Amino acid sequence: MVTDKSSPVALCRRAIRPHDLTATRGEPVVEAAVTRGFDTALWPGNSGSSMDESGVDEERVDGGAAGRHAVIPRRWARYYLENAPSLCWLVFANVAGVFVGVFFYLETLPEVETLAWPVYMDSPVATLLMALALATLLPNLGRRLDAAPANLVLAYLYTISFVWLVETGLWLALALNLHVGLYYPDVWRYFGVLVTHLLFIPEAYLLPHFGRTTRGALGLALVLALGNDLVDYGFGLHPPLRYETGALFSAGGFTTSGVVLAAGSVATSVVAVALAARAFPRLGTGGAASR
């Protein structure tokens, strides 16, 4: 069977090389690769990883680049993003999240113009952006995160992905708890949705471990987030809720809940961009990190 060397499967396989493994006598190299690869993917502290752990230096202490404020420990980020099994599973989980999210919107999609779907389906868009961001690391498998590509296009992708994930997670927590009695104690509609969306926030903090940002990327992310808020509350295109919010440009205007949620949404957008500005190192000349 001929496999495209640039395909995600080939890139994932390339990260586990036979000469990087120390298989015991009689243990097939492939079996050793699968066993140890998934072992390190699940347990970051496992010493069986074949990655380069040399130089516990400033790169490990300060998060790997000047100006980076890491929430997720660098050690964890390296194991989950430098190991083929864990990185591939993260990509898969986010792609699956897109389909699960779209399923949630299926009942209401016919009522929304097709061109408005990207601003209507916040969660699927957030997980799709994260899947794309993580997929850019596939060619870097087998090397350290510091060797990941850094350029202007990627800086915009990583910054917008971060902002969309954090803003969506914060907004969802606000929206559910504004009228908590309409959702609690529903196991899935409250606990399931709340927990999965709050997990967007720590996942977003994986991005600064290999990404950079610029003032332009932060500015565009803010404009897009606030523009999305305007569409959501100006025309009532926010994700479906169990209570009425009204809309700025509708005949009835906002309800009280709508005013609170709109103000909260703007606040979460600003907070998400501020957190991105603090979390990411800046993209310097030639893709280098700078303050």
Side-chain angles (χ1 to χ4, degrees), residues 20 28 73 93 108 114 122 124 129 132 138 159 163 176-177 182 187 201 213 238 253 261:
D20 289 333
T108 56
T114 304
D122 293 347
L129 288 171
L132 292 174
L138 292 175
T159 305
V163 169
L176 289 186
N177 288 290
L182 297 176
V187 174
I201 299 173
T213 193
H238 55 72
L261 197 57

Side-chain angles (χ1 to χ4, degrees), residues 255-280:
T255 64
T256 302
S257 297
V259 172
V260 174
L261 197 57
S265 186
V266 170
T268 58
S269 295
V270 174
V271 167
V273 174
L275 291 175
R278 178 173 173 78
F280 282 97

Side-chain angles (χ1 to χ4, degrees), residues 232-238 243-250 252-255 257-258:
D232 283 353
Y233 301 101
F235 302 96
L237 287 178
H238 55 72
Y243 53 90
E244 292 296 324
T245 62
L248 179 62
F249 302 124
S250 67
F254 278 131
T255 64
S257 297

Side-chain angles (χ1 to χ4, degrees), residues 7 75 80 97 158-159 221 234 252 263:
S7 69
R75 182 184 182 189
Y80 283 106
Y158 299 152
T159 305

Side-chain angles (χ1 to χ4, degrees), residues 73-216:
R74 183 68 170 175
R75 182 184 182 189
W76 289 20
R78 288 196 61 210
Y79 270 96
Y80 283 106
L81 299 176
E82 291 178 359
N83 277 307
S86 55
L87 177 60
C88 291
W89 275 113
L90 280 172
V91 174
F92 172 79
N94 280 277
V95 171
V98 175
F99 290 99
V100 173
V102 170
F103 179 78
F104 173 80
Y105 287 90
L106 281 180
E107 289 186 10
T108 56
L109 278 182
E111 305 169 9
V112 179
E113 292 290 337
T114 304
L115 292 177
W117 286 2
V119 294
Y120 179 60
M121 298 189 292
D122 293 347
S123 299
V125 170
T127 51
L128 176 61
L129 288 171
M130 186 61 180
L132 292 174
L134 291 171
T136 65
L137 285 178
L138 292 175
N140 194 61
L141 282 172
R143 294 186 289 271
R144 294 169 67 100
L145 283 179
D146 294 337
N151 56 53
L152 191 60
V153 173
L154 291 179
Y156 276 77
L157 172 61
Y158 299 152
T159 305
I160 293 171
S161 300
F162 182 100
V163 169
W164 237 249
L165 286 166
V166 172
E167 197 278 338
T168 301
L170 294 176
W171 178 89
L172 193 282
L174 171 64
L176 289 186
N177 288 290
L178 188 58
H179 288 283
V180 65
L182 297 176
Y183 296 94
Y184 179 86
D186 191 312
V187 174
W188 170 244
R189 289 293 185 176
Y190 183 75
F191 292 105
V193 173
L194 180 62
V195 170
T196 54
H197 283 71
L198 286 178
L199 286 175
F200 285 6
I201 299 173
E203 184 179 37
Y205 273 95
L206 290 173
L207 292 167
H209 282 283
F210 60 90
R212 305 285 188 269
T213 193
T214 66
R215 289 183 179 179

